[in-house]
Every structure is written in C-alpha cells, then in structure tokens.
C-alpha cells in the first residue's frame, strides 16, 4: 500500500490530530525517531514526551501514562513500522481500556528515520486492525475526522494517518535529561489532588 495522492506530511498529520482536542492539549508520547522530531516541529510543549531507546514502546509508555493520569487525555504518536514491533501493546491497551488514551498511527510504509526502507506492514489495513482491536466506533482515518466526532469517540481510540514520506525529521535539540525534566514539571503541575 502506498500513500494516497496529496497525502499530508507527518508534521501536518500530527498538527491535525492535536487540533482535534481543541483548547485542552493532551499529554503526547511520541516514538523514537521520526515521530519525535515531527511532533517537536508541530509545536514543542512541556506535555510532549519524546522517547528515546527501542522503537515501538510509545504505546506501552502512553498506556502507563493514561492509567496514572485518568483525568488527562493522552495521545500516542507512533509510526507503522514502530507499532509493528510492539503489536502486543494493542492487546494490552484493549484489555486495560483506558478512557483517556488514543493512538495516532503514522502510516507512511517506510522506516523513515533509518534509510527509508519499506516496512513489512506496507499492505496492512491499519484502520481495520484498529476496528478489530477497539471496535468499529473507535477506529478512524484521520482524514475523515472532525473535532465534534473526535470528542464523542469512545476511548481507547485509534487514528490512522496515511502520510507521504517526509524526509529526515528536524533534530530534537533536547537531551533526554531536558525532555524528562520538562515533562515531569508539566506533569507535576497538573497532579491530581
């Protein structure tokens, strides 16, 4: 499967997904590499957690965050190649059923951060996979989503953005220690009472 004609870039898809939340920005967990770089390019915020380390862990980390912060919305931004490395996280998310978690799958069908090699899931229908895991009412193509429809969607929710290859993402310009400190400070400011 290849990107649609006139498909958006990763940055545009991330911006569009964030806009669905309106005034209340969710905590956002982005996978290592492209998704972290394009999330920062879409708008750096202390609520962004840019992961480093093994690919595919953002759904697991986002689940932990959603369970620890049940009053706040959490969005996981993960590439199709990265999610393929941790598909079992979807079963865990489905079983835990956090009412505040959504996943945005960036489906560009390549490992963009590492030489743009094709992913083995290039022909996978990600929306259908989301429907199988989370139900018909909770899995969507980002291109069809409106803020009103998004606010009414059950969680956990699964958004898929078919994107065009975007090239090498901009560098984060932040060390893991800086990312951790900013995110912890934002999280503590909003700690439940």
């Amino acid at each position: 499967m290849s990107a649609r004609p006139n498909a958006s870039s990763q940055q545009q898809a991330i911006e569009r997904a964030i806009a669905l939340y309106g005034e209340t920005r969710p905590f956002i967990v982005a996978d290592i590499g492209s998704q972290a770089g394009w999330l920062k390019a879409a708008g750096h915020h202390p609520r962004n957690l840019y992961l480093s380390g093994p690919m595919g862990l953002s759904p697991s980390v986002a689940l932990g965050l959603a369970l620890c912060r049940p009053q706040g919305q959490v969005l996981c931004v993960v590439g199709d190649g990265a999610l393929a490395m941790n598909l079992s996280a979807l079963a865990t998310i489905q079983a835990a059923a956090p009412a505040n978690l959504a996943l945005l799958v960036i489906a560009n069908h390549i490992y963009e951060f590492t030489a743009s090699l094709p992913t083995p899931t290039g022909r996978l229908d990600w929306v259908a996979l989301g429907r199988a895991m989370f139900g018909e009412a909770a899995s969507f193509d980002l291109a069809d989503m409106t803020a009103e429809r998004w606010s009414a969607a059950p969680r956990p929710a699964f958004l898929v953005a078919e994107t065009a290859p975007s090239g090498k993402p901009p560098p984060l310009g932040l060390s893991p220690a800086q990312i951790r400190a900013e995110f912890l400070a934002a999280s503590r400011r909003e700690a439940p009472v």
Side-chain angles (χ1 to χ4, degrees), residues 10 29-30 64 69-70 97 99 107 110 116-117 130 153 161 174 188:
Q10 282 198 53
V29 179
R69 312 299 263 157
I110 60 171
S116 296
L117 298 170
L174 298 166
R188 287 181 178 140

Side-chain angles (χ1 to χ4, degrees), residues 33-34 55 108-119 165-169:
S34 291
M55 282 178 69
N108 62 2
H109 314 290
I110 60 171
Y111 292 109
E112 185 172 84
F113 198 69
T114 54
S116 296
L117 298 170
T119 64
S166 302
K168 198 90 166 165

Side-chain angles (χ1 to χ4, degrees), residues 12 24 28-29 34 53 55 59 75 86 117 119 123 146 151 167 175 177:
Q12 291 166 330
T24 306
I28 304 175
V29 179
S34 291
M55 282 178 69
L75 176 64
N86 190 15
L117 298 170
T119 64
R123 294 179 16 200
T146 64
S151 66
S175 71

Side-chain angles (χ1 to χ4, degrees), residues 82-102:
L83 183 55
M85 294 180 180
N86 190 15
L87 281 173
S88 62
L90 298 180
T92 306
I93 291 168
Q94 187 271 339
N100 61 335
L101 177 60

Side-chain angles (χ1 to χ4, degrees), residues 7 9 16 27 31 41 66 83 108 110 120 126 141 146 175 182 187:
S9 68
R16 183 169 182 186
F27 286 101
D31 219 278
L83 183 55
N108 62 2
I110 60 171
W126 286 102
D141 185 320
T146 64
S175 71
E182 277 191 11
S187 181

Side-chain angles (χ1 to χ4, degrees), residues 17-112:
I18 293 169
L20 293 173
Y21 288 89
E23 296 295 316
T24 306
R25 186 179 179 101
F27 286 101
I28 304 175
V29 179
D31 219 278
I32 184 175
S34 291
Q35 286 71 53
W38 292 119
L39 171 59
K40 185 166 187 272
H44 176 62
H45 194 281
R47 284 176 154 233
N48 293 353
L49 180 57
Y50 312 103
L51 295 184
S52 59
M55 282 178 69
L57 288 185
S58 60
S60 301
V61 172
L63 172 61
L65 181 60
L67 294 174
C68 289
R69 312 299 263 157
Q71 288 77 31
Q73 292 295 310
V74 178
L75 176 64
C76 170
V77 180
V78 61
D80 53 348
L83 183 55
M85 294 180 180
N86 190 15
L87 281 173
S88 62
L90 298 180
T92 306
I93 291 168
Q94 187 271 339
N100 61 335
L101 177 60
L103 287 89
L104 171 63
V105 180
I106 303 292
N108 62 2
H109 314 290
I110 60 171
Y111 292 109
E112 185 172 84

